[in-house]
Amino acid sequence: WSNGIEIPEMVGKPVGKPLLDFLNRTGKVTFTGIKVINDTVANLFAGMVKPGYDAYIGLIVGASTNMATFINADRIPKLGKDLNWQGLIPVNLESGNFNPPHLTKYDDGLDERSDDKGGHRFEKAVSGMYIGQLMRELFPEDDFSVSVDVKALTGIINFPEKHKKNHVKAAKRIYKRSAKLVAASLAGLIDLLISYDGSIKRIKITAEGSLFWSKVKNCRNYNKLVKRTLKDMMADMGHKKIKIKIARIENANLVGAGIAALS
């Protein structure tokens, strides 16, 4: 699994079965099956509670990062013609495993010391679990903890009087770069969706994650950085008239999981 998580006893086993067994062992109701859904896809489904958009995207930017969207089956060659699937298919893009351009030697150093060297390069440049660790790469002599995370990073931004000026400057740059990379990934996905369907005019992005909705002082908040950068990029790409709404839905994963279970 990503993020350094290892559960070897689950390898090769259906991930929902232990929960199903537990419910039937301890509850008064017998369950005959269980559905397992990716959290980003659940987020995608939650955004559809209020219709009226031409396309939907689910976005997670917290400890990890990912995107999901709907893509027409005829655009997904791996499904094969024999399956005869039609219509829109929810797709978990696992975008954290993308390999973005413009990474630095500091990103390479972080990757070199990670549990999955060479993998999840986008996630390591963006997500809350990793971007704090870039401070260790930038300032190897300054005794940053091996577990330094985004909470420590935003703490440096929020309390600059307690930290070195070069640390504050670097923390802001890392924070802003993460938001801009997320905006770029969204712009790329939206451009792809429009290339598939030129009638798309209104898009809803349901965003979740502690980093995406984080608040900082003396710096534009993460979600506003994403919105501003995405707006600029869409204009540069010739999509200035596309309307994009980024929404936060309470209990989005629960709502999306409920929709999946009832579908």
Side-chain angles (χ1 to χ4, degrees), residues 39 44 106 133 135 141 193 197 213 230 238 242:
D39 61 344
L44 170 67
Y106 305 108
Q133 296 177 27
M135 295 296 289
E141 305 299 324
L193 294 177
D197 183 357
W213 296 108
L230 180 58
I242 301 296

Side-chain angles (χ1 to χ4, degrees), residues 84-227:
N84 197 31
W85 285 24
Q86 297 180 349
L88 294 173
I89 304 292
V91 179
N92 168 21
L93 295 169
E94 287 298 333
S95 57
N97 203 28
F98 290 174
N99 193 355
H102 312 304
L103 295 181
T104 68
K105 64 180 181 180
Y106 305 108
D107 296 292
D108 293 341
L110 189 155
D111 177 57
E112 185 73 26
R113 279 173 271 283
S114 68
D115 294 324
D116 61 337
K117 179 182 175 182
H120 291 86
R121 295 303 305 270
F122 185 77
E123 187 161 273
K124 290 169 185 172
V126 164
S127 73
M129 178 177 175
Y130 291 105
I131 59 174
Q133 296 177 27
L134 284 170
M135 295 296 289
R136 292 180 62 224
E137 300 298 327
L138 284 162
F139 306 104
E141 305 299 324
D142 285 352
D143 199 30
F144 278 98
S145 167
V146 294
S147 60
V148 60
D149 58 11
V150 71
K151 186 176 180 180
L153 188 79
T154 55
I156 294 172
I157 298 172
N158 284 330
F159 302 100
E161 68 280 2
K162 297 181 180 180
H163 302 278
K164 297 178 180 179
K165 288 184 178 180
N166 58 344
H167 289 180
V168 177
K169 185 177 180 180
K172 286 183 177 180
R173 286 191 174 185
I174 293 169
Y175 186 81
K176 290 178 180 179
R177 188 189 71 158
S178 171
K180 290 179 179 181
L181 283 171
V182 166
S185 68
L186 287 168
L189 178 56
I190 291 169
D191 187 57
L192 179 70
L193 294 177
I194 293 172
S195 74
Y196 289 164
D197 183 357
S199 68
I200 291 175
K201 302 298 179 185
R202 302 182 75 237
I203 299 171
K204 184 175 183 179
I205 301 170
T206 306
E208 276 289 297
S210 56
L211 177 55
F212 191 88
W213 296 108
S214 62
K215 295 181 179 180
V216 291
K217 302 173 185 176
N218 305 313
C219 179
R220 186 175 281 121
N221 288 337
Y222 195 98
N223 69 90
K224 292 183 178 180
L225 286 166
V226 172
K227 290 176 184 177

